[in-house]
Amino acid sequence: MNFCSDFSGHFALHERDAQARRYLSGLLGTQQRKNMERMDAEQEEGDYQSMQQFIADSPWDHTALMAQIGREADGMLGEQRNSALYIDETGFVKKGGASVGVQRQYCGRPGKLENCQVGVFACLGSGERAALTGVRLFLPEAWAGDPQRCQKAKIPPEQREHRTKAQLALELVAEARANGLRFGWIGGDEVYGGNRELTDALDRAGETYLMDVAANYQVCERDPRASAEQAAPGQPRPGRPGNKTRLRHESAQQSVEQLGKKYFEQESRMVVQRESVRGTLRRRVWAKKVWLPAAEGSEARGCMLVVRREEDGS
């Protein structure tokens, strides 16, 4: 626990440093269920009332602590060839309705709807190493619209606002940049890769990102804006009729699954992914420039579609 001294400045009032140490010791302890009663009982100098006050009532700002953690993580993981900021969410199953933000919603751990809290997290990573650098708790609309419930749960007034997971993710990216974290790209699963609000904002900010999308995600082979201009009334339409038909077809929306079936076998190639304890891991990969169609509040724009086939053929 010697490393706790590096962060004691964030807990230097009313014995919060000691309580922070005890709480962390409890989290690292042998108890399977990590509630305050069990963690307190495991420690010789435990004080349940003090720990409860530290967790529930003690006023301290986690952003300064996370900023320090981020800077230290950046010293080990930042500005490397494959340094990335990963955005992901996770759920925490809860009983009852008192925990902040809890409601019946999708929980990734059991992979189904559960009564849970959901948090959005940012990790700085390089290769197989990663460190948590930012966190936001998702507050559902039902909570934000219930001032009495928020007051009872002691949510600060400035935090009683519903923000989408995409908005929370953007806050985490902006926070990471403001804290000086050095990463070349941003990663995420299809919850974030399929969200145009998020990816459009990252594109406008000049960020590079590589995120999953669902198999039914819609793209175009050709810039739909150029095709629309060629089809505008009164404008000259160069080329033979067959060319016009092909242009209209390529600018039509189709799923990435359809596009993959069309080109993957002929155009994919084998690449080395990484070295592992079982030897060199290779994957078959295909990449193509595609266009995202215009959507509500979003213009059409180009991006690179990358399809990878696992060793099991998926």
Side-chain angles (χ1 to χ4, degrees):
M1 297 294 287
N2 292 334
F3 73 91
C4 287
S5 59
D6 295 337
F7 304 96
S8 61
H10 302 291
F11 307 96
L13 185 63
H14 301 310
E15 298 185 351
R16 289 185 296 183
D17 180 28
Q19 292 301 328
R21 288 171 179 265
R22 292 191 186 103
Y23 183 64
L24 182 57
S25 295
L27 291 176
L28 298 174
T30 59
Q31 294 288 347
Q32 186 173 2
R33 294 189 61 187
K34 306 295 184 181
N35 58 42
M36 285 191 294
E37 292 180 354
R38 292 175 182 268
M39 289 190 294
D40 180 71
E42 194 175 36
Q43 302 182 55
E44 294 182 1
E45 300 180 359
D47 185 338
Y48 177 79
Q49 185 175 356
S50 296
M51 184 178 291
Q52 195 277 337
Q53 184 178 16
F54 168 71
I55 297 298
D57 302 314
S58 182
W60 63 279
D61 186 2
H62 80 284
T63 56
L65 174 63
M66 293 306 302
Q68 180 179 343
I69 292 173
R71 289 191 295 269
E72 296 195 8
D74 184 75
M76 296 183 290
L77 304 173
E79 205 177 25
Q80 299 182 24
R81 184 176 63 86
N82 56 352
S83 295
L85 187 73
Y86 300 104
I87 303 295
D88 200 3
E89 65 182 65
T90 191
F92 305 92
V93 177
K94 296 289 182 177
K95 293 182 179 179
S99 299
V100 177
V102 68
Q103 71 171 15
R104 187 167 176 78
Q105 55 192 322
Y106 180 78
C107 185
R109 289 184 175 183
K112 60 180 181 179
L113 292 176
E114 284 281 3
N115 192 63
C116 66
Q117 294 171 300
V118 172
V120 181
F121 299 85
C123 285
L124 183 66
S126 177
E128 297 181 354
R129 299 188 300 167
L132 181 68
T133 58
V135 58
R136 293 290 189 278
L137 181 65
F138 174 69
L139 190 68
E141 291 183 85
W143 272 83
D146 192 339
Q148 292 183 342
R149 192 180 188 187
C150 290
Q151 180 67 28
K152 185 177 180 180
K154 301 180 181 179
I155 303 176
E158 66 274 13
Q159 297 294 327
R160 300 174 187 178
E161 177 186 0
H162 168 72
R163 285 165 292 173
T164 66
K165 294 170 185 176
Q167 291 170 331
L168 297 178
L170 285 172
E171 287 183 14
L172 290 170
V173 172
E175 181 180 82
R177 289 299 187 194
N179 289 338
L181 272 61
R182 298 165 297 175
F183 50 90
W185 54 282
I186 300 165
D189 64 15
E190 66 182 66
V191 172
Y192 302 93
N195 188 296
R196 286 293 297 273
E197 175 191 0
L198 173 60
T199 58
D200 285 353
L202 293 176
D203 193 65
R204 289 192 298 269
E207 297 284 2
T208 300
Y209 61 90
L210 179 62
M211 296 182 174
D212 295 336
V213 294
N216 61 357
Y217 193 71
Q218 299 293 302
V219 297
C220 302
E221 286 190 64
R222 187 179 178 86
D223 185 351
R225 297 172 300 180
S227 299
E229 290 173 1
Q230 290 191 10
Q235 296 294 323
R237 302 183 180 185
R240 293 175 295 179
N243 291 338
K244 299 173 190 177
T245 302
R246 181 174 59 83
L247 289 175
R248 285 195 296 270
H249 174 72
E250 291 180 349
S251 64
Q253 297 182 32
Q254 54 189 311
S255 70
V256 296
E257 183 178 31
Q258 291 173 319
L259 204 58
K261 290 179 178 179
K262 189 175 179 181
Y263 293 108
F264 188 88
E265 295 298 336
Q266 296 80 14
E267 300 182 4
S268 63
R269 62 188 180 92
M270 191 69 71
V271 299
V272 174
Q273 182 176 352
R274 62 182 174 87
E275 298 295 331
S276 73
V277 294
R278 296 183 178 181
T280 302
L281 292 181
R282 292 180 172 83
R283 298 288 187 270
R284 186 163 289 281
V285 174
W286 167 70
K288 178 179 175 62
K289 173 71 176 291
V290 297
W291 288 83
L292 302 183
E296 183 177 357
S298 302
E299 295 183 354
R301 60 180 175 85
C303 66
M304 186 66 69
L305 173 65
V306 180
V307 178
R308 185 186 70 181
R309 177 174 291 175
E310 302 291 343
E311 289 182 321
D312 61 4
S314 60

